[in-house]
Amino acid sequence: MLGLAKRIGAKFLLTSTSEVYGDPLEHPQKETYWGHVNPIGVRSCYDEGKRTAETLTMDYHRGAGVEVRIARIFNTYGPRMCLDDGRVVSNFVSQAIRKQPMSVYGDGKQTRSFQYVSDLVDGLVALMEGEHVGPFNLGNPGEFTMLELAEVVKETIDPSATIEFKPNTDDDPHKRKPDISKAKELLNWEPKISLREGLPLMVKEAQSLLHPQGRRIPDDFFSIQEAYVPKASQHSF
Ligand code: UDP
């Protein structure tokens, strides 16, 4: 893609990730932090893949003059998310709607900071329209433990929802929260929608796709899904 951008003179956006910080020793994470990543662990193909993508993007920028922008996207959620993608917000929301216990991995004290999708889109547009290459953290600094997230999902969907503890995956980052002062200053951007405001917007759509008693496919299911979900996962609800 960088080669193509160089050939045709396109502006190139790399949607990188907070995973470049690994299991961070600096908190909150600033763009100047180089990260703490296990290079041979189960997550490293993703973490190191994204780190290499940042390297290549900067090399094409410096060496070939490609106009690039780099965003480091922190955990994001919202309507049209694939409800069986295995991420924590999609899992908790679909489990609570289906009256299944919410699966908390590990002790549930690890933290993440959840950003509503429209805030991310605004940040990406500001980045592409601005003059600065980045990298920029794009995320919501509101930090929650997974137990706190389960509590918010419970309040939003079903006060009788329960949790169950499951073993955590290897190398799971213990905490994650963006320092967004660089994006505030240079892109004039900051998120506007808190988790308690954004979650009900996602839940509303999820409730129309899932039904507590099992599968229910609304009339517009395939038109919604075809537009936003890769072919391979279209039939997996
Ligand atoms: N997690 C959880 N239950 C789930 C799915 C994930 O407790 O059903 C935890 C997971 O261990 C991690 C956090 O939620 O600590 C965020 O996981 P996710 O896969 O959503 O995002 P990432 O780890 O890439 O930030």
Side-chain angles (χ1 to χ4, degrees):
M1 292 304 292
L2 283 158
L4 180 61
K6 178 182 165 186
R7 256 199 330 278
I8 66 173
K11 195 190 260 188
F12 184 90
L13 169 67
L14 176 65
T15 49
S16 185
T17 170
S18 52
E19 291 278 327
V20 298
Y21 301 123
D23 190 7
L25 303 178
E26 176 180 303
H27 193 76
Q29 295 80 50
K30 283 199 182 83
E31 290 86 347
T32 46
Y33 179 49
W34 289 353
H36 180 231
V37 174
N38 174 0
I40 56 164
V42 288
R43 300 173 82 100
S44 55
C45 58
Y46 185 67
D47 299 4
E48 300 288 17
K50 287 285 194 172
R51 288 164 67 92
T52 305
E54 290 198 11
T55 306
L56 291 172
T57 302
M58 288 310 294
D59 279 349
Y60 268 77
H61 174 60
R62 282 185 294 251
V66 175
E67 200 179 343
V68 302
R69 301 286 182 269
I70 301 176
R72 291 183 180 156
I73 300 175
F74 283 64
N75 299 62
T76 303
Y77 68 95
R80 296 173 184 159
M81 203 168 176
C82 187
L83 289 173
D84 64 353
D85 66 7
R87 295 173 185 200
V88 68
V89 179
S90 6
N91 275 5
F92 285 3
V93 165
S94 42
Q95 288 160 344
I97 292 173
R98 289 175 160 134
K99 306 257 180 222
Q100 295 164 352
M102 292 179 279
S103 52
V104 174
Y105 297 168
D107 62 8
K109 291 183 182 150
Q110 68 272 36
T111 69
R112 294 293 187 274
S113 305
F114 299 101
Q115 160 175 245
Y116 189 67
V117 61
S118 61
D119 282 332
L120 170 64
V121 172
D122 288 346
L124 291 173
V125 170
L127 174 62
M128 288 305 272
E129 287 178 348
E131 300 302 310
H132 302 277
V133 166
F136 285 99
N137 289 338
L138 295 182
N140 190 318
E143 186 182 11
F144 293 79
T145 66
M146 296 312 103
L147 290 171
E148 287 166 343
L149 173 68
E151 204 48 50
V152 179
V153 173
K154 185 174 159 169
E155 283 165 24
T156 309
I157 298 179
D158 178 3
S160 69
T162 56
I163 59 168
E164 73 179 338
F165 289 99
K166 294 201 163 168
N168 205 351
T169 48
D170 286 345
D171 293 338
D172 185 46
H174 288 88
K175 51 193 171 179
R176 185 182 291 153
K177 167 182 168 150
D179 180 317
I180 56 165
S181 22
K182 185 174 171 187
K184 267 190 193 166
E185 187 192 328
L186 297 178
L187 303 179
N188 194 24
W189 170 87
E190 67 181 309
K192 298 184 178 67
I193 302 180
S194 69
L195 182 63
R196 282 193 168 76
E197 291 166 324
L199 198 67
L201 305 174
M202 172 174 174
V203 165
K204 197 165 163 243
E205 191 222 26
Q207 278 166 331
S208 76
L209 293 171
L210 304 170
H211 189 266
Q213 268 78 47
R215 270 171 79 100
R216 186 178 70 94
I217 299 183
D219 293 344
D220 60 355
F221 177 82
F222 288 107
S223 57
I224 295 172
Q225 293 304 313
E226 269 161 21
Y228 294 99
V229 179
K231 282 266 178 294
S233 46
Q234 266 181 23
H235 303 293
S236 51
F237 276 97

